[in-house]
Amino acid sequence: MNGPTSQSWVEDDRRHVWHPYTQMQTAPPPLPIERAEGVYLYTTDGRLIVDGISSWWVNIHGHNHPRLNRALAAQAEKMAQVIFAGLTHAPGARLAAELVARAPGDLPRVFYSDDGSTAVEVALKMAYQSWRNRGESGRTLFVAFDDAYHGDTFATMAAGGTPAFHAQFSDLFFTVLRARTEASAARGTESPPLGEILERHGERVAAVIVEPMLQAAGGMLVQTPAFLREVREETRRHGIPLIADEVLTGFGRTGRLFACEHGPIAPDLLCLSKALTGGYLPLAATLASEEIYRTFLSPDRGRTLFHGHSFTGNALACAVARESLALFEESDCLGRIARLGAIFRERLAALASHRRVTTTRAFGGMAALELAPASTGGYFDDVGPRVAAELLARGLLVRPLGNLLYVLPPYVLTDAEAHWMFDAIAEVVAAL
Ligand SMILES: Cc1ncc(COP(=O)(O)O)c(C=O)c1O
């Protein structure tokens, strides 16, 4: 809505809202969005903005999708939310069965939570308590990888390997051993290979956590299937559960429904969120192997997994997630992602030789280019905000990770829109 009403809520925002991942003193004012449709966001002052990052990597079918809207409205007519301990409902039960049927390997047990961080938090707790329930209480270590990002709660920050985000809190973290990846080895990390860590400390390790194939927040770093297979082989050899954090990669982003399929590997725990509801509502799921689940079964109530959130298994979110999954399969999303990937690769190839572009990479429905640093390099480099502002002025919303500019759009982006996006990027990069 234009005019005085929009003015007043924008003022309310300015006075009262503390935005996420935002330096409130220096960030430009947030864009006031009135409505969204397909890949477009409409601002209150009538601008049309292409959502180049799927609204923080969640939206895959486009905004305001008629089928997701109908599924949401239909469920709202019946029931929005009930306690999920002691009660159950069809959307939660059906969605669980549908996820299990599609998950990599054999993960028959589904635990719901609210977002990516909680999906990972639950997996870490399951792995840890599972050992304790078996009488092995000395397994207090986790292993995670260089450049990992698993969320912003304390346990997930501890597992993360991106100091730019979380170094402030590191005094409070539990111990996480850090293993190298292919990308970090190439830049000369001191972190040892996973095999070496497990050889030395394996008997004290509760679980290994990996973002299969693509470390997104850590810099859109792509791995090989061979690396993923090696992680699985090492963990299996030492009898240690492997947690696959597919919060970002799940639901097609890497060109397969789940990134584990690239290995292919089967994890012991799988974390899903983000695109699970097509980007409509917060919902997460942690899928567990029968073996882990069974360690919690006991006449002793002390062995229960004492974890739950007020909105666990929210019926609206589960109903929309089911519809999103149906839409994913009926609309040949994987074909669409492959097509977008081909355009991304072609357009990146043309940009790769630019003097300010240091490297490019594309994988599934993601394309990234690293720009020569303008100041500090890394996450706090000034080139990111500058490029973001220039692209926004042309109608493209991006959120560079420092000097890494990437796009990760909804899969419904058309060929013409994809080319338009890269035309805008080429123009801005040329002017750097
Ligand atoms: C791999 C991965 N895990 C976990 C998270 C945390 O998810 P959320 O922001 O929904 O808590 C993210 C978020 O970007 C992620 O990319």
Side-chain angles (χ1 to χ4, degrees):
M1 210 179 298
N2 282 313
T5 314
S6 67
Q7 278 308 314
S8 60
W9 70 253
V10 169
E11 186 56 19
D12 283 343
D13 178 277
R14 195 185 65 76
R15 281 173 189 262
H16 302 298
V17 180
W18 192 343
H19 287 270
Y21 271 87
T22 303
Q23 173 42 260
M24 298 299 289
Q25 181 166 315
T26 56
L31 278 182
I33 303 297
E34 184 174 66
R35 74 191 175 87
E37 184 145 351
V39 299
Y40 294 99
L41 310 174
Y42 295 78
T43 67
T44 49
D45 57 2
R47 294 166 62 200
L48 202 61
I49 312 283
V50 171
D51 186 350
I53 49 166
S54 301
S55 282
W56 247 348
W57 315 347
V58 300
N59 192 296
I60 53 175
H61 304 301
H63 297 273
N64 199 6
H65 195 288
R67 277 187 54 180
L68 298 182
N69 290 356
R70 278 199 297 275
L72 177 60
Q75 184 57 41
E77 290 291 332
K78 292 187 213 156
M79 169 178 68
Q81 160 70 25
V82 291
I83 179 174
F84 209 59
L87 271 62
T88 191
H89 47 65
R94 292 270 194 229
L95 175 63
E98 287 162 5
L99 292 175
V100 166
R102 288 159 181 79
D106 189 15
L107 300 170
R109 303 291 172 172
V110 179
F111 192 101
Y112 290 117
S113 61
D114 308 332
D115 51 47
S117 301
T118 55
V120 174
E121 193 90 21
V122 167
L124 295 171
K125 287 175 74 172
M126 281 178 175
Y128 178 75
Q129 191 184 334
S130 168
W131 287 110
R132 291 179 68 89
N133 285 356
R134 279 178 273 182
E136 281 207 46
S137 53
R139 293 197 180 249
T140 54
L141 302 175
F142 287 92
V143 183
F145 290 90
D146 285 333
D147 306 307
Y149 179 85
H150 297 292
D152 288 343
T153 57
F154 267 99
T156 60
M157 286 195 295
T162 38
F165 304 144
H166 299 139
Q168 306 264 11
F169 302 101
S170 60
D171 286 351
L172 304 179
F173 294 170
F174 55 71
T175 309
V176 174
L177 305 177
R178 189 87 32 217
R180 63 174 55 180
T181 61
E182 292 162 314
S184 72
R187 63 163 197 265
T189 180
E190 288 179 0
S191 304
L194 177 64
E196 211 173 295
I197 295 178
L198 298 186
E199 219 41 73
R200 282 191 64 189
H201 305 285
E203 292 190 351
R204 293 175 53 218
V205 171
V208 174
I209 181 165
V210 67
E211 290 158 273
M213 298 303 294
L214 177 64
Q215 293 179 305
M220 297 295 163
L221 303 167
V222 182
Q223 304 151 9
T224 62
F227 174 78
L228 190 56
R229 285 195 296 273
E230 190 186 321
V231 169
R232 179 65 280 193
E233 278 157 25
E234 288 292 353
T235 46
R236 190 160 279 145
R237 201 148 63 81
H238 289 86
I240 295 168
L242 176 64
I243 303 171
D245 176 355
E246 293 229 28
V247 166
L248 163 82
T249 53
F251 307 100
R253 187 52 69 180
T254 69
R256 305 276 174 92
L257 182 60
F258 297 111
C260 284
E261 294 170 22
H262 288 277
I265 63 137
D268 301 287
L269 292 159
L270 174 72
C271 309
L272 304 174
S273 187
K274 289 204 183 273
L276 172 58
T277 61
Y280 259 51
L281 289 161
L283 181 70
T286 306
L287 277 66
S289 68
E290 189 67 13
E291 189 187 339
I292 289 178
Y293 173 76
R294 285 194 172 276
T295 63
F296 288 81
L297 303 182
S298 166
D300 174 5
R301 285 165 60 198
R303 288 199 185 181
T304 305
L305 178 64
F306 286 109
H307 192 104
H309 300 278
S310 312
F311 288 95
T312 295
N314 176 262
L316 296 174
C318 290
V320 175
R322 293 191 65 206
E323 190 68 4
S324 175
L325 202 51
L327 201 51
F328 189 96
E329 286 166 357
E330 289 162 30
S331 54
D332 185 27
C333 275
L334 293 178
R336 186 68 215 134
I337 296 158
R339 170 78 194 139
L340 284 177
I343 297 175
F344 290 176
R345 285 191 296 279
E346 173 202 325
R347 296 301 304 257
L348 283 179
L351 281 163
S353 57
H354 191 276
R355 72 191 158 82
R356 301 305 299 269
V357 175
T358 53
T359 51
T360 64
R361 43 192 176 265
F363 188 48
M366 181 287 297
L369 46 156
E370 243 173 70
L371 302 170
S375 54
T376 55
Y379 185 74
F380 295 108
D381 194 85
D382 290 331
V383 76
R386 203 171 120 201
V387 165
E390 292 286 340
L391 287 170
L392 190 59
R394 288 165 173 77
L396 175 61
L397 178 71
V398 291
R399 237 188 113 81
L401 295 156
N403 59 325
L404 185 87
L405 172 63
Y406 72 89
V407 289
L408 195 147
Y411 307 148
V412 291
L413 190 84
T414 64
D415 288 11
E417 287 160 346
H419 282 294
W420 171 85
M421 208 164 68
F422 276 94
D423 290 344
I425 290 171
E427 222 176 277
V428 167
V429 169
L432 278 176

